[in-house]
Amino acid sequence: MTKLKVAGTWGGILEVELDNWTLTMLRDEVANRSGLDPESIKLICAGKILKADDGDDDPKTLAQLGIKENSKILSSRGAAPDEGKAIMAEEERSRRLSRLKAAATALSKRHVDGSLPMEDYNIELEDQGGQQVKFGSETDQSATMMGLMLHAKAKSLIETGLYVDALEVLAMAEESFLLCDPKILELVDNIPIMEIDIVWCYFLLRDLKCLSDAGFRLVKARKGLERSHGKDLSRVRLLQAGQCPELALYVRLELLEGVVAYHTGQNDKALNALKSAHAKLLQLQIPDETLSVVMGMGFHEKDAKRALRLNNKDIATSVDFLIEERAKIAQKHKDDLQRQKEIFEQKTYGVTPMNKAVDMQMLDRLVLIGYARDLAAESLRRHENDFQKALDALTSPEVNSSIQVYIESRKRKRQEQQVGITVDELVSMGFERGQATSALEVGGKREDIIQRLLSSPAANLGTASASGSAFTENGGATSSTNNEIVAEAKDSEMEDDTADEIPSNGEEEERDLEVEGDIADEIAKVDALSAYDINLDKEVEAINEYLVMLDASQDSG
């Protein structure tokens, strides 16, 4: 018998037969003495993990593996197969949530501070009327935007049954909202709704350990809703023109209040809350006949139910509401396309020295005065969107001229990159600079441009060049460059040109396009009434379940 010194999960001297024992036998013996699963044991000798040839019909002995008398064996606990999978899944989940937080942080920062959007969309804060909202400082706006983005993602996770993940994302949202001035958030119901969603997750997980926190959060939610909706819901009625969008939300709130009261021994309070929730639930039930009438007018079932719930089951009002909603959706789509067009245009102008996009409203004002759009945009870009400074620069003949020279140079660079040949190359072939510049402005492939120069009279080319730009009386400039060619150049060179303009610190921002796109998709699904549009199937079951439990406790008492 040979003695081995074992340390780690079990420590001591182990006697073995080196020529007869296999690694599997050694591992089983160490596991037995450690009280562990053999699959969770790793054996290390001379700095190497010992591996058994499980698929070998004639496994190697310990002697063949190089183990000798008095060899030191370190026994460490690895993860058992199922435990290992669980650990890997948890690590992946943690990475996914970290990516989500990082992406939400990046999006909120980019879409609040006036930076040029990297995407073809803008994320903006809106009220329930669809109007853009700007309040507080840049920090307040960024924190609120991030909180709302994370809250929207959490709601999606709740819908898919990922309640633990949803709780973590809701905690991130709560943390973000804490960075915002609390006075600003007092008049909106986003925070109370978030509190209710957190407790809803507790309930769906049946986590009784969170009862005290649940009760605390529900009190905060009730007070917050009263602040934002008004006592007796007077404010929300005024804002929603008499509609009742909030009933489903209050069904969930009162159900949760009843559940917390029941589990803390307050049966009377629980019964009152559950009865109130049940009464509201009955108000929200839509008769099949009424639903059929609205659907018969060409509306989908989900939309018809939503409209009838919001409008006290009145068919005429509900139909008017649906028609108005369709018009809003169409207008929003039109506005989104216009904003995408503006972002595309902004990218062609580059960014200011402080990395901000050109202000389109300022640009429109300068264009109304009579300045060419690209000229006005470049002046604004150089002067950090300061309207007066940009105007002063445009009214200065010298500065105006230098800006035009720069713009023409940039256009020529785009055209050269597009066709694969430069003015200097054409000049080196013997063509006059004016001819070469005009030929590039017309566009086409490299071979076409050279052939055009060879076949066209120099006088005609000179005339075309001279008409390249003309000054207006007020110092602006109008361009006679072919619009279609310019548009193609902007499309193909937009990214390269923008990159030239963006000041760089030597590092390019790393973006998680997958997660950012996922967040944007979730936001796109949200509208002003989404927070109140709740599927109440689980609430129906829970209310009936707890009412039965209360009846049973009263009978036994």
Side-chain angles (χ1 to χ4, degrees):
M1 299 292 284
T2 301
K3 294 181 179 180
L4 300 179
K5 296 178 180 178
V6 182
T9 59
W10 175 81
I13 303 296
L14 195 63
E15 292 185 347
V16 301
E17 296 180 13
L18 292 178
D19 293 324
N20 293 324
W21 279 45
T22 63
L23 181 61
T24 300
M25 294 168 64
L26 177 61
R27 187 169 56 194
D28 288 346
E29 182 64 26
V30 173
N32 181 51
R33 298 190 182 215
S34 305
L36 298 172
D37 183 345
E39 293 296 323
S40 70
I41 294 290
K42 287 183 181 180
L43 299 179
I44 302 169
C45 182
K48 294 182 179 179
I49 297 176
L50 300 176
K51 295 183 179 179
D53 299 324
D54 295 328
D56 197 334
D57 293 334
D58 186 18
K60 292 180 180 179
T61 65
L62 296 181
Q64 290 172 324
L65 290 172
I67 299 176
K68 303 175 182 178
E69 173 81 25
N70 291 322
S71 287
K72 293 181 180 179
I73 306 294
L74 175 63
S75 168
S76 68
R77 186 183 182 187
D82 291 342
E83 184 181 352
K85 290 179 182 178
I87 291 173
M88 290 176 64
E90 180 60 28
E91 288 177 349
E92 173 58 29
R93 174 175 165 275
S94 179
R95 281 195 295 270
R96 188 172 64 250
L97 293 173
S98 295
R99 288 174 63 193
L100 174 64
K101 184 175 182 179
T105 302
L107 279 172
S108 62
K109 183 179 183 301
R110 285 205 304 272
H111 287 265
V112 164
D113 68 2
S115 298
L116 184 66
M118 296 181 180
E119 308 83 4
D120 61 352
Y121 56 82
N122 249 15
I123 300 174
E124 296 174 340
L125 298 174
E126 294 181 349
D127 60 19
Q128 290 189 350
Q131 300 301 311
Q132 186 176 354
V133 175
K134 286 190 177 182
F135 51 74
S137 66
E138 191 174 289
T139 300
D140 292 329
Q141 292 188 61
S142 179
T144 303
M145 185 178 289
M146 182 176 173
L148 293 176
M149 285 191 288
L150 291 169
H151 193 181
K153 180 61 182 176
K155 283 179 176 291
S156 174
L157 292 170
I158 292 172
E159 289 177 7
T160 54
L162 299 173
Y163 308 128
V164 175
D165 286 4
L167 272 175
E168 290 210 29
V169 177
L170 286 166
M172 294 180 199
E174 185 174 38
E175 181 182 337
S176 181
F177 282 127
L178 288 174
L179 299 176
C180 189
D181 183 350
K183 292 182 179 178
I184 291 174
L185 297 176
E186 282 183 355
L187 297 177
V188 296
D189 59 9
N190 302 91
I191 306 301
I193 292 173
M194 182 187 68
E195 300 282 9
I196 293 171
D197 286 339
I198 290 172
V199 180
W200 182 237
C201 287
Y202 291 163
F203 173 76
L204 294 172
L205 290 168
R206 303 290 174 166
D207 192 348
L208 295 179
K209 298 190 301 294
C210 297
L211 271 178
S212 60
D213 184 56
F216 174 70
R217 289 185 181 278
L218 291 176
V219 170
K220 284 172 62 180
R222 174 70 72 174
K223 290 180 178 178
L225 288 177
E226 185 174 303
R227 255 194 321 265
S228 55
H229 291 174
K231 289 188 176 181
D232 301 323
L233 305 176
S234 55
R235 187 165 180 266
V236 75
R237 288 288 175 274
L238 181 63
L239 290 172
Q240 296 296 337
Q243 295 171 350
C244 308
E246 78 298 328
L247 275 182
L249 179 66
Y250 279 88
V251 168
R252 179 173 290 179
L253 171 61
E254 291 176 350
L255 161 64
L256 294 172
E257 288 174 333
V259 169
V260 170
Y262 174 81
H263 286 289
T264 52
Q266 304 175 72
N267 286 5
D268 290 342
K269 182 178 178 180
L271 184 61
N272 290 333
L274 291 167
K275 282 184 176 179
S276 179
H278 187 261
K280 289 181 174 63
L281 195 60
L282 293 176
Q283 287 182 254
L284 291 169
Q285 291 182 348
I286 308 298
D288 291 340
E289 304 80 22
T290 306
L291 182 61
S292 298
V293 171
V294 178
M295 289 177 61
M297 297 182 187
F299 299 104
H300 294 297
E301 180 179 356
K302 182 180 178 181
D303 296 332
K305 277 186 176 179
R306 183 191 211 193
L308 288 165
R309 276 183 173 181
L310 294 174
N311 294 279
N312 294 316
K313 309 174 194 176
D314 184 83
I315 294 176
T317 309
S318 298
V319 171
D320 289 343
F321 170 82
L322 287 166
I323 293 172
E324 185 179 337
E325 285 298 297
R326 280 186 175 178
K328 286 181 180 178
I329 292 171
Q331 183 60 46
K332 186 178 187 303
H333 179 66
K334 184 178 178 181
D335 293 342
D336 288 345
L337 290 176
Q338 177 61 32
R339 181 57 188 139
Q340 287 180 1
K341 183 179 178 182
E342 288 179 355
I343 292 173
F344 176 85
E345 182 182 356
Q346 283 179 309
K347 289 182 178 181
T348 66
Y349 299 139
V351 294
T352 71
M354 296 296 291
N355 204 29
K356 307 298 183 185
V358 170
D359 189 309
M360 300 303 285
Q361 292 182 340
M362 297 290 186
L363 177 58
D364 289 339
R365 287 176 61 187
L366 288 172
V367 171
L368 282 174
I369 294 174
Y371 293 102
R373 199 165 186 84
D374 54 357
L375 186 70
E378 177 58 22
S379 187
L380 283 168
R381 188 192 71 79
R382 294 185 179 194
H383 296 93
E384 286 294 344
N385 291 313
D386 187 308
F387 181 82
Q388 190 57 52
K389 288 182 179 179
L391 181 60
D392 292 342
L394 291 170
T395 55
S396 167
E398 292 182 2
V399 178
N400 187 304
S401 178
S402 70
I403 294 176
Q404 289 191 67
V405 169
Y406 170 78
I407 291 172
E408 291 303 321
S409 172
R410 194 168 65 174
K411 284 181 181 177
R412 188 161 58 248
K413 179 182 176 183
R414 290 174 183 162
Q415 291 161 351
E416 289 171 351
Q417 290 174 339
Q418 185 184 27
V419 302
I421 192 169
T422 67
V423 171
D424 289 339
E425 286 181 275
L426 292 172
V427 170
S428 69
M429 295 178 188
F431 298 109
E432 293 182 3
R433 185 169 292 276
Q435 292 176 314
T437 301
S438 297
L440 280 173
E441 288 179 353
V442 175
K445 296 180 181 178
R446 177 190 179 97
E447 296 77 11
D448 295 336
I449 290 172
I450 295 174
Q451 187 58 43
R452 191 184 302 125
L453 284 168
L454 290 171
S455 60
S456 299
N460 290 344
L461 287 170
T463 303
S465 177
S467 64
S469 63
F471 287 99
T472 61
E473 291 182 2
N474 61 8
T478 58
S479 173
S480 63
T481 306
N482 185 292
N483 288 331
E484 185 177 353
I485 295 172
V486 172
E488 290 175 355
K490 286 180 178 180
D491 184 36
S492 62
E493 297 301 325
M494 178 184 70
E495 292 184 3
D496 289 342
D497 179 66
T498 302
D500 290 340
E501 296 297 341
I502 296 176
S504 174
N505 296 323
E507 297 181 1
E508 185 176 344
E509 180 184 354
E510 291 187 10
R511 296 178 56 206
D512 193 331
L513 295 174
E514 180 186 355
V515 181
E516 287 185 7
D518 184 41
I519 292 173
D521 290 341
E522 294 296 344
I523 296 171
K525 299 174 187 176
V526 175
D527 61 27
L529 299 173
S530 295
Y532 308 126
D533 194 15
I534 299 173
N535 184 321
L536 295 172
D537 291 344
K538 286 185 172 63
E539 281 82 354
V540 172
E541 294 177 7
I543 289 171
N544 291 331
E545 175 190 350
Y546 275 86
L547 284 174
V548 169
M549 290 166 63
L550 280 167
D551 284 342
S553 65
Q554 287 176 348
D555 291 342
S556 62

